[in-house]
Amino acid sequence: MDDLVVVGADKAGLGRASRLLRAGGVCAFPTETVYGLGANAFVPSAIAEIYRLKNRPVWNPLIVHTVDAGMARSLARAWPDVAVMLAERFWPGPLSLVVERADRVPDAVSAGTGTVALRVPAHPVAQALLRECGLPLAAPSANRSEQLSPTSAEHVLRGLPDVPLVVDGGPCRWGIESTVVDVTCTPPRLLRPGALPLRTLKEVVGVIDCPGEPSQGGAVRSPGSARRHYAPMAKVVLVDDFDASRLRGLRQPSGVLTYQVPDSALTDWAEHIEILPDDPTGYAADLYAALHRLDDRGMSTVAVLAPPRHEDWMAVRDRLHRASANPTSAPVV
Ligand code: TXA
Ligand code: MG
């Protein structure tokens, strides 16, 4: 059955994925955050194939996934104390550390930054694949550039119909990407809020430098933090409340994404309503899947109730602001 593009996370599926990766091919696999599109981090042609499949701009560097902190360390020129602390506390898990890159990491992975982002994923299938292939895997989220990240094998296939192989590990637990922290500077700097909450990070590192929200023109430090990103096909409109006058001008059919019980006027107005949990972790876990569902139903517009301006909602707010950014706005790099 070698023609199937989606394989199970069993011995046969992992064996096939591992052989493909060792031969310089690319393969999508689950992590606890979102699905990644992986390739041998040491093979420039494999890295080039990731960029081609994703239509990713060459200036946007990739996260390298390793089986453990030891292998991650071997890809860094320097490993500051704060990296030791963070790796000990949060790996395996949804945290990516940006460090100075060792010479043997190809420049294409770093996109000319001189640094490399490293992460030890916790998902048992990612761990099994990394162990089986014995390689560091460069793996961005397995979606076309700027579009929604995939939290299931089906999302990967839909977003990347040309993907050679997907290992199906079921839905991702966190549903939102890893937190990216630059540890080449003091204090460390938050480059992308993500699954690992800021408050948890602060418990370990104390002070951390944070850019403002993209909606407020906050400084953007991560090359991939183009303002528009994580966007569904539908136009996303962030609203502070579902006021009738605000909704009136929106293009139909319109959907709603909320974390509150909708009133009857909203239910009558909307073509489809997605109600997510009212806690940031539960909300994040289903956010991309809900946006995928709204796209499946052919919504032109999605009115999204803006979550609270609270630090715990930072990663969700970041993704929603980027999803709602104007497609014509130039990326901030
Ligand atoms: O959860 C995740 O992080 C997922 C899974 C697959 O691990 N991966 C992921 O990768 O979200 P990607 O490529 O979609 O996003 C990586 C982000 C981008 O914003 C990129 O610019 C930033 O990390 N990044 C990667 N390497 C970097 C570097 N050397 N310096 C600064 N930012 C970097
Ligand atoms: Mg991505």
Side-chain angles (χ1 to χ4, degrees):
M1 297 292 281
D2 250 23
D3 52 343
L4 286 183
V5 168
V6 180
V7 293
D10 50 14
K11 198 168 183 302
L14 289 170
R16 192 169 147 206
S18 172
R19 284 193 297 280
L20 181 62
L21 290 164
R22 293 181 66 82
V26 304
C27 164
F29 63 95
T31 81
E32 69 277 26
T33 57
V34 300
Y35 275 68
L37 184 65
N40 184 344
F42 292 134
V43 176
S45 60
I47 302 303
E49 183 61 0
I50 288 182
Y51 280 89
R52 190 189 70 79
L53 277 169
K54 276 185 63 86
N55 194 29
R56 184 178 179 102
V58 290
W59 43 258
N60 194 1
L62 306 179
I63 297 174
V64 178
H65 299 64
T66 62
V67 72
D68 57 27
M71 187 188 272
R73 167 79 188 83
S74 74
L75 302 176
R77 185 191 300 274
W79 199 245
D81 289 347
V82 65
V84 175
M85 270 174 1
L86 289 171
E88 251 170 34
R89 174 72 174 77
F90 297 117
W91 280 353
L95 173 69
S96 299
L97 296 178
V98 171
V99 293
E100 281 176 39
R101 135 186 105 91
D103 288 340
R104 64 201 191 104
V105 177
D107 198 35
V109 169
S110 300
T113 58
T115 58
V116 62
L118 298 167
R119 158 161 133 79
V120 178
H123 195 294
V125 175
Q127 277 283 329
L129 184 61
L130 286 162
R131 215 170 307 117
E132 173 92 20
C133 71
L135 300 167
L137 296 178
S141 53
N143 53 279
R144 296 277 287 181
S145 214
E146 296 197 354
Q147 294 180 359
L148 281 180
S149 296
T151 57
S152 70
E154 196 202 332
H155 293 162
V156 177
L157 272 188
R158 217 181 312 158
L160 294 175
D162 294 336
V163 69
L165 192 68
V166 186
V167 181
D168 188 351
C172 302
R173 174 179 165 214
W174 291 100
I176 197 164
E177 297 81 356
S178 65
T179 303
V180 182
V181 176
D182 183 350
V183 292
T184 64
C185 44
T186 309
R189 191 178 292 160
L190 181 72
L191 297 181
R192 178 178 71 179
L196 188 73
L198 188 57
R199 76 163 66 231
T200 315
L201 264 174
K202 282 181 182 162
E203 281 164 18
V204 174
V205 295
V207 183
I208 182 158
D209 184 15
C210 299
E213 283 198 345
S215 63
Q216 294 154 6
V220 176
R221 268 81 168 233
S222 174
S225 297
R227 212 162 94 72
R228 181 172 167 81
H229 216 123
Y230 314 106
M233 300 304 194
K235 180 176 167 54
V236 171
V237 180
L238 271 177
V239 297
D240 285 323
D241 57 53
F242 291 115
D243 182 71
S245 62
R246 181 80 180 83
L247 299 181
R248 205 166 295 130
L250 301 185
R251 233 189 46 225
Q252 295 290 341
S254 281
V256 160
L257 185 65
T258 182
Y259 55 93
Q260 291 174 353
V261 180
D263 64 18
S264 57
L266 188 63
T267 315
D268 289 345
W269 176 81
E271 197 78 24
H272 179 70
I273 300 188
E274 288 282 342
I275 307 173
L276 297 180
D278 63 2
D279 69 284
T281 307
Y283 187 106
D286 204 28
L287 170 60
Y288 292 143
L291 290 171
H292 276 288
R293 288 192 291 271
L294 285 153
D295 269 352
D296 290 346
R297 288 172 175 261
M299 297 299 114
S300 286
T301 314
V302 181
V304 179
L305 183 65
R309 286 183 179 280
H310 186 280
E311 188 182 286
D312 291 351
W313 286 91
M314 193 177 187
V316 163
R317 288 180 61 90
D318 171 82
R319 302 307 188 272
L320 289 174
H321 279 293
R322 295 186 200 288
S324 66
N326 187 339
T328 58
S329 65
V332 181
V333 292

